[in-house]
Amino acid sequence: MPKKKNPTPVRVNILFFSVFILFSLLILRLGIVQIVHGEDYKREINRKKDVTINNPVPRGKMLDRNHKVIVDNKPLNAITYTNEGASQKEMLEVAAKLARIIDKDTDKVRERDMKDFWMIKNPEEAEKLIKTKELELFKNKKLKNKDLYKLQIKRITEKHLSQLTKQDIEELAIFSIMNSGYKFVPQIIKNKDVTRKEFAVVNENLALLPGVNAATDWDREYKFEDTFKPVLGRITTSSEGLPAERLDYFMSRGYTRNDRVGKSYLELEYEDVLQGKKEKVVNVTDKSGELLEKELVSEGQRGKDLVLSIDMDLQLAVEEIIEKELWAAKNSPGTALLDSAYVVLMNPNTGEILTMAGKKIVKDEKTKEVFLEDDALGNISKTFNVGSVVKGATVLTGYKEGAINSSTRFDDRALEIKDTPIKKSYSYLGTPNDIEALKLSSNVFMFHTAIQIGKGVYRYQQSLNLDPKVWDKIRNSFATFGLGIRTGIDLPNEQTGAKGANYPVGKVLDLVIGQYDTYSNMQLAQYISTIANGGYRMQPRIVKEIREPSNNGEELGPIYKSFPPNVLNDIDIKDQWLERVHTGFKKVMQEPGGTAYRYFSTASYSPAGKTGTAEAFYDGQFRVKGEKLIQTMNLSLVGYAPHDNPEIAMAVIVPWAYQGNVDHGANKKIGRAVMDAYFNMKNGTKEPADETAE
């Protein structure tokens, strides 16, 4: 039988041949990789992506309700420096070259910086400041490097520093900025008063100035100069950078340390939308840290725009009125302490603030010049005793607590309570009901209302005993109007006012006539708006809407977010009660005998409101610390119009208006002129206020 052929050697040969072919292909591939693409792959291996850099973009604009630009961005020529891995020596060389090209402000150069710089410039002389004995101690490890450094710094004299030239100091100022920055983060060397020549020469010599760039920067530009500027807020400078107290917050949101951010009021409150979307760039470096290229990850976008509720034309008109009446009032006797006045105009139906104005008289301590400065923020940051303007809230609280009704009348005779000063109205007013009490401003009617709320009984020259809960009942009711609590306005640092102690119990009588707790002018505006609109406490707003930045920078972009009217609460009262207060407020301004009739009787827009005068103690800028408090009078006014369909609500405070008995009526003069200005602008007329307002 023929012997069978073993197939194994054939299979093994095939396997070996296959392996040979595969190894041959692998060697060929490796050869191609190494010989043909070797350098490319080597470069790729050496490449590494460094930290993503967020380049800042211009902030969003601010516009008024009629789309007039209030705050814009002004382009600036700028000289910047980006550390792309340069050594200290290389930065010094660049700083020296740059100092010969540009003029650099040296105001921020400190003496300590100059000493350090002198040692860098004069290393041999700096070494001579260390004595031989001290060097021996250093060699024997009894002194450290930092000890020798301290000795050198201490021994550098003014004579040494005088060796530094003006250009040296400029070089130091430039170097300090370069050296303080972070790698791959642009630092602004100069962006103010960069001349065309400086910009051009730097641009022409960029090859000799590694890291330096001639770029375009921006700064905030205020189209109406100082008008409303404190409310608009401020931003940090590039040298200030991120505020230390909020560093972690901003850094976690992609900011860099030298970013300019909002530091007060609207700029701070709306920082998240005003800042914009930064351009993101990834720096690609090799292993040694040398920059190879920059990769654009995403393009930047200018910050979103704020459309404010403020009408800047009306704001300017109101400020002019305040200035005129403040200076006029200063000519009256007893006005040595008068220094300010505040006005808020608010849409009672939406909460939009049309005007928030304040002016304050200040004196320059050096020149002794007296002038007016903007104090619009005083409307939310300062609180005062406001007087009888709160009586509408008192009457409605009395109704709500069952203390009074439409038939209630109180004899206006003065109250004499044991161990308490006589409590009375400014004159005897008969036996008024609630409407007449508002029209004539009866204090006694309000006193009796408070006593009834506190379930007490008034007896001539006897102690007054009231339920302790009377304080909470009245204050909680007042709060539903916005008095004594935060109004909710979209601005930081709003003050709620001071609450007096809940004793002695008789002080509650002062509370109901506005002479105990203190309130801000914005609270008064919210309070009168609540009455004007039928009982709804509206959130006051400065920002009406937020807009996307437009493509061309000229037109408005689409709406990103709008803020509809926000009802914070209603005051939970019957319509007929509110109607009686409306009637009383109308009579204040439109019926003979009303406390504001002389000033508003001829107004065509049918106003309603309430005047206020409060005894107060001076606590202003001219108070001498430690001296006895001086008694003075605050003036106030709240109002709305037209009375039957209100479209505008107003609050006015003139603190520390006068001493003595001569009331110059600045609150009513300002109020009439302001209301006239609003309706004249609305109707397109420029009719002056009636002579009775003068």
Side-chain angles (χ1 to χ4, degrees), residues 137-153:
L137 290 172
F138 174 71
K139 290 176 182 178
N140 295 326
K141 298 184 178 180
K142 292 183 179 180
L143 286 178
K144 297 180 180 179
N145 269 322
K146 65 179 182 180
D147 298 319
L148 297 182
Y149 170 72
K150 287 179 181 178
L151 289 170
Q152 286 175 302
I153 289 293

Side-chain angles (χ1 to χ4, degrees), residues 200-260:
V201 174
V202 169
N203 222 353
E204 291 168 2
N205 290 276
L206 292 180
L208 303 175
L209 300 166
V212 174
N213 191 23
T216 300
D217 193 30
W218 55 270
D219 196 9
R220 281 312 222 183
E221 182 179 28
Y222 300 90
K223 299 292 187 179
F224 292 84
E225 297 179 342
D226 292 336
T227 301
F228 206 57
K229 194 173 180 179
V231 181
L232 300 174
R234 296 174 55 206
I235 61 172
T236 61
T237 63
S238 56
S239 58
E240 288 176 318
L242 302 181
E245 65 275 12
R246 303 190 73 198
L247 183 63
D248 291 341
Y249 170 84
F250 284 119
M251 292 294 285
S252 67
R253 284 159 175 78
Y255 287 74
T256 55
R257 290 175 182 267
N258 64 335
D259 275 345
R260 284 166 286 182

Side-chain angles (χ1 to χ4, degrees), residues 565-682:
N566 183 24
V567 178
L568 299 176
N569 63 264
D570 66 70
I571 55 177
D572 190 26
I573 56 171
K574 294 181 180 179
D575 291 343
Q576 57 265 38
W577 300 343
L578 189 58
E579 187 56 38
R580 292 187 70 82
V581 172
H582 278 286
T583 302
F585 280 4
K586 178 184 176 184
K587 289 175 178 286
V588 167
M589 292 186 168
Q590 297 189 43
E591 191 171 280
T595 55
Y597 175 76
R598 175 189 165 196
Y599 295 88
F600 286 90
S601 61
T602 59
S604 60
Y605 39 81
S606 187
K610 186 74 190 76
T611 59
T613 304
E615 295 179 358
F617 290 97
Y618 180 71
D619 191 27
Q621 60 181 320
F622 303 127
R623 179 188 172 191
V624 178
K625 191 174 182 180
E627 283 193 1
K628 185 178 178 181
L629 291 173
I630 303 171
Q631 189 167 353
T632 183
M633 307 297 286
N634 294 342
L635 295 177
S636 59
L637 176 70
V638 294
Y640 53 87
H643 83 274
D644 55 348
N645 186 24
E647 63 180 72
I648 192 69
M650 173 184 67
V652 180
I653 290 181
V654 184
W656 312 310
Y658 64 92
Q659 297 166 267
N661 299 315
V662 181
D663 179 358
H664 47 68
N667 56 332
K668 290 164 277 194
K669 293 175 182 176
I670 290 172
R672 173 62 197 268
V674 165
M675 279 287 200
D676 284 354
Y678 169 80
F679 283 100
N680 287 342
M681 286 187 178
K682 177 193 171 186

